């Protein structure tokens, strides 16, 4: 390799290193965009394709022939949050130097995707209830502190859950909670659903969601209480909605 070619290769390696440092801090969703820009700096006429639904064939990382691009360098990441196939089109993959540079590029890209994907998955799990998929108590408390005055809060207690657990078993009770959560979540387009206790949920909702929300609540075996952001804030708002829920529950007999 001549001196000019060697200097050019060093420059490309420096650019790749600089790009990889940026990927390390990027959110998962931004990594493909940043990597696409970096590919155009590193390889003449290159383009990075990101396939969220990889083709149904054995996938690996390395040189391969893929339609409609021909000979490409691909990298397969299994997730989380989902599997993705990166396809680097354009480098001369019959040239050893270009192959090694493509391999290094893909190695950094897959490492950044893996780090960001698992980091965000851990963050999601830390704020998500494992049983229902709703937000957990921690996520609710954070959302409640930032609630705008125009929004509302509903605290929901599932009636009769103890009886289901006692007569049908806890698996049946878990399925019942999951179905309640699914029906409540389906109502919310802007707000959020949170499981804040064993049989207790909280819903933060926009005013335009109230009509459908009340309709669904009336059809479910639940007691509930509603409070608006104008009435109180933070923990005081939760306590107000919780008191109204217990007032409704107290008016019903035999619903522990």
């Amino acid at each position: 390799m001549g001196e000019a070619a060697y200097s050019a290769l060093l420059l490309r390696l420096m650019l790749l290193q600089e790009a990889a440092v940026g990927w390390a801090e990027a959110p998962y969703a931004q990594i493909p965009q940043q990597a696409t820009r970096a590919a155009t700096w590193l390889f003449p006429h290159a383009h990075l394709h990101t396939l969220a639904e990889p083709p149904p064939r054995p996938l690996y990382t390395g040189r391969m022939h893929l339609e409609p691009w021909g000979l490409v360098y691909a990298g397969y990441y299994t997730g989380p949050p989902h599997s993705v196939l990166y396809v680097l089109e354009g480098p001369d993959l019959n040239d050893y130097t270009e192959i090694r540079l493509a391999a290094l590029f893909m190695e950094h890209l897959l490492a950044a995707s893996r780090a960001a994907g698992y980091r965000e998955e851990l963050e999601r799990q830390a704020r998500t209830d494992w049983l229902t998929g709703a937000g957990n108590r921690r996520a609710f408390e954070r959302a409640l502190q930032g609630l705008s005055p125009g929004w509302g809060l509903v605290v929901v207690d599932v009636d009769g859950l103890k009886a289901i657990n006692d007569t049908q078993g806890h698996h049946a009770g878990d399925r019942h909670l999951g179905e309640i959560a699914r029906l409540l979540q389906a109502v919310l387009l802007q707000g959020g659903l949170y499981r804040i206790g064993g049989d207790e949920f909280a819903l933060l909702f926009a005013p335009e969601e109230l009509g459908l929300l009340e309709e669904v609540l009336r059809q479910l075996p639940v007691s509930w209480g509603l409070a608006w952001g104008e009435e109180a804030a933070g923990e005081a708002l939760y306590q107000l909605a919780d008191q109204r829920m217990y007032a409704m529950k107290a008016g019903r007999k035999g619903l522990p």
Side-chain angles (χ1 to χ4, degrees):
M1 180 182 294
E3 183 176 345
Y6 182 72
S7 297
L9 177 60
L10 283 181
L11 177 59
R12 294 167 76 188
L13 288 171
M14 290 173 60
L15 289 173
L16 174 56
Q17 184 62 33
E18 182 179 342
V21 170
W23 301 344
E25 301 296 328
Y28 180 84
Q30 294 181 13
I31 289 176
Q33 300 172 358
Q34 295 188 14
T36 297
R37 290 196 297 269
T40 62
W41 304 337
L42 295 166
F43 304 99
H45 315 297
H47 187 75
L48 181 69
H49 305 276
T50 302
L51 305 183
E53 297 183 5
R57 53 164 290 176
L59 295 171
Y60 57 92
T61 295
R63 286 196 309 170
M64 64 180 70
H65 284 274
L66 279 180
E67 295 297 334
W69 307 291
L71 184 62
V72 297
Y73 202 98
Y76 183 51
Y77 171 59
T78 58
H82 51 72
S83 61
V84 60
L85 182 67
Y86 295 114
V87 179
L88 181 60
E89 176 197 12
D92 180 6
L93 297 179
N94 294 307
D95 180 273
Y96 178 78
T97 299
E98 294 300 294
I99 293 173
R100 294 300 302 152
L101 193 59
L104 189 59
F105 171 86
M106 195 61 66
E107 180 181 326
H108 282 301
L109 176 53
L110 292 176
S113 297
R114 190 176 301 110
Y118 277 94
R119 181 175 64 245
E120 292 180 13
E121 176 63 15
L122 288 173
E123 291 173 355
R124 185 194 68 80
Q125 291 181 10
R127 61 177 183 270
T128 302
D129 173 57
W130 65 270
L131 177 63
T132 64
N136 59 18
R137 182 65 180 251
R138 177 186 177 190
F140 169 66
E141 290 174 351
R142 293 181 64 180
L144 186 62
Q145 294 304 316
L147 189 68
S148 300
W151 282 59
L153 165 65
V154 167
V155 173
V156 175
D157 188 85
V158 178
D159 296 328
L161 181 63
K162 185 177 184 301
I164 294 175
N165 287 334
D166 291 344
T167 59
Q168 302 178 44
H170 286 276
H171 287 299
D174 289 348
R175 289 194 298 271
H176 184 62
L177 283 174
E179 180 62 14
I180 294 288
R182 185 187 67 81
L183 293 171
L184 292 175
Q185 184 66 69
V187 177
L188 301 174
L189 299 177
Q190 302 179 59
L193 173 68
Y194 307 87
R195 186 183 178 203
I196 56 176
D199 56 0
E200 192 169 328
F201 293 92
L203 298 91
L204 300 176
F205 65 94
E208 56 268 28
E209 297 173 310
L210 177 61
L212 182 57
L213 176 57
E214 287 186 320
E215 181 180 334
V216 170
L217 287 169
R218 293 189 188 103
Q219 297 173 13
L220 296 177
V222 299
S223 299
W224 51 281
L226 186 154
W228 291 100
E230 292 85 353
E231 297 181 276
E235 182 66 17
L237 179 64
Y238 164 67
Q239 292 294 337
L240 182 58
D242 198 48
Q243 291 167 9
R244 290 171 179 173
M245 179 274 291
Y246 276 109
M248 175 183 285
K249 197 173 187 70
R252 303 178 175 188
K253 303 300 182 182
L255 297 175

